[in-house]
Amino acid sequence: MLTTSFVPGAPNWLDLGSPDTDAAAAFYAAVFGWDFQSAGPEAGGYGFFRQDGRTVAGLGPLTEEGASPSWTVYFHTPDADATAKTVEQAGGSVRVPPSDVFSYGRMAAFTDPAGADFSVWQPGETGGLESVGVPGSLSWAELYTTDAAAVKAFYGSVFSWQMTDMPMSPELTYTVLTPAGAGAEAAHGGLMQLPQENLDAGSTPEWHPYFEVSDCDATTARAAEAGATVIIPATSAEGIGRFAMFLDPSGAPFAVIKSAMS
């Protein structure tokens, strides 16, 4: 379970790149009740989604050439420059070199060997998100990939994650990800191979967030009413919870879950 006691390798920031930040702010306000707070004129349109006065995510305009609307998961690193070198050595690529974000911290953006984008955050004045693991906030990060074996080796080199394989069917294995040295209760995400039917339908490797909710069915209804495309309707998974998956109105994928433990 995610907590704000961020350790190396755990998700500690999350933001949405959108072609229309006003529309995105309105959509997520309708779904989760989030407020949007601008970071000021010097931030280039970037700002923060907040719930009960606490930051749960960031939002900004698309800045990279050819970028598609998407959520980006950031993982804690004590040294963004060292992580960038490790990413390249392990077969990934650096999309945005390490750079300071005012005095808040240092970030860098990467692409893994199979093509999924992710980022890292080295805390400065801002340690990370102010709320996780409670309704309306990030609770899990999931990777769909075209080469599970390769990316497991890659992320193992970059973050030293502990990885536990859980067979779901003869053809499908889900790998649970946990920060190095942490117990199973600190698991923060998972990865799985994209099934062939998804590849045939045009799916590509990507990380996406799960947001905890108090009622999956009610949230699904609000999301659909606000303009989301429902990819997976509200579905129960024994011992895990009830979840649903969407594309927001601009096409960014995300999911929600009412965890069994909550």
Side-chain angles (χ1 to χ4, degrees):
M1 179 178 178
L2 294 183
T3 74
T4 53
S5 298
F6 301 114
V7 297
N12 66 341
W13 193 257
L14 177 77
D15 59 23
L16 172 66
S18 175
D20 187 336
T21 55
D22 289 340
F27 170 78
Y28 288 97
V31 176
F32 297 121
W34 292 344
D35 298 318
F36 178 70
Q37 177 182 325
S38 171
E42 71 279 3
Y46 195 87
F48 308 105
F49 284 123
R50 293 172 65 81
Q51 176 178 261
D52 298 329
R54 297 178 179 176
T55 298
V56 294
L59 168 66
L62 296 172
T63 56
E64 295 181 54
E65 185 175 350
S68 299
S70 62
W71 283 96
T72 298
V73 180
Y74 294 66
F75 299 97
H76 178 287
T77 178
D79 189 332
D81 296 82
T83 300
K85 292 178 182 178
T86 304
V87 164
E88 292 185 308
Q89 291 167 353
S93 59
V94 178
R95 295 188 350 268
V96 180
S99 59
D100 291 329
V101 181
F102 304 107
S103 57
Y104 302 125
R106 191 165 175 80
M107 65 81 64
F110 311 113
T111 302
D112 74 23
D117 294 338
F118 69 102
S119 294
V120 294
W121 180 253
Q122 176 185 335
E125 293 178 359
T126 297
L129 300 173
E130 295 174 340
S131 183
V132 297
V134 299
S137 69
L138 179 69
S139 63
W140 194 252
E142 197 163 76
L143 171 64
Y144 286 138
T145 182
T146 54
D147 193 337
V151 299
K152 284 166 71 174
F154 169 78
Y155 288 106
S157 296
V158 174
F159 295 119
S160 300
W161 287 338
Q162 300 171 115
M163 303 186 189
T164 304
D165 289 340
M166 301 177 62
M168 299 176 66
S169 72
E171 300 81 23
L172 185 62
T173 296
Y174 191 88
T175 301
V176 177
L177 310 171
T178 306
E185 72 282 354
H188 63 259
L191 70 82
M192 62 184 294
Q193 182 87 17
L194 279 163
Q196 187 59 48
E197 58 265 28
N198 293 73
L199 298 176
D200 292 341
S203 296
T204 56
E206 52 93 5
W207 281 96
H208 64 256
Y210 277 74
F211 298 104
E212 189 70 33
V213 294
S214 56
D215 186 325
C216 182
D217 295 80
T219 304
T220 298
R222 287 197 302 272
E225 184 177 352
T229 299
V230 180
I231 302 173
I232 300 176
T235 303
S236 294
E238 185 177 356
I240 296 172
R242 190 161 175 80
F243 69 95
M245 193 173 295
F246 315 93
L247 297 177
D248 75 12
S250 70
F254 72 101
V256 300
I257 186 167
K258 162 64 175 173
S259 298
M261 67 184 70
S262 64

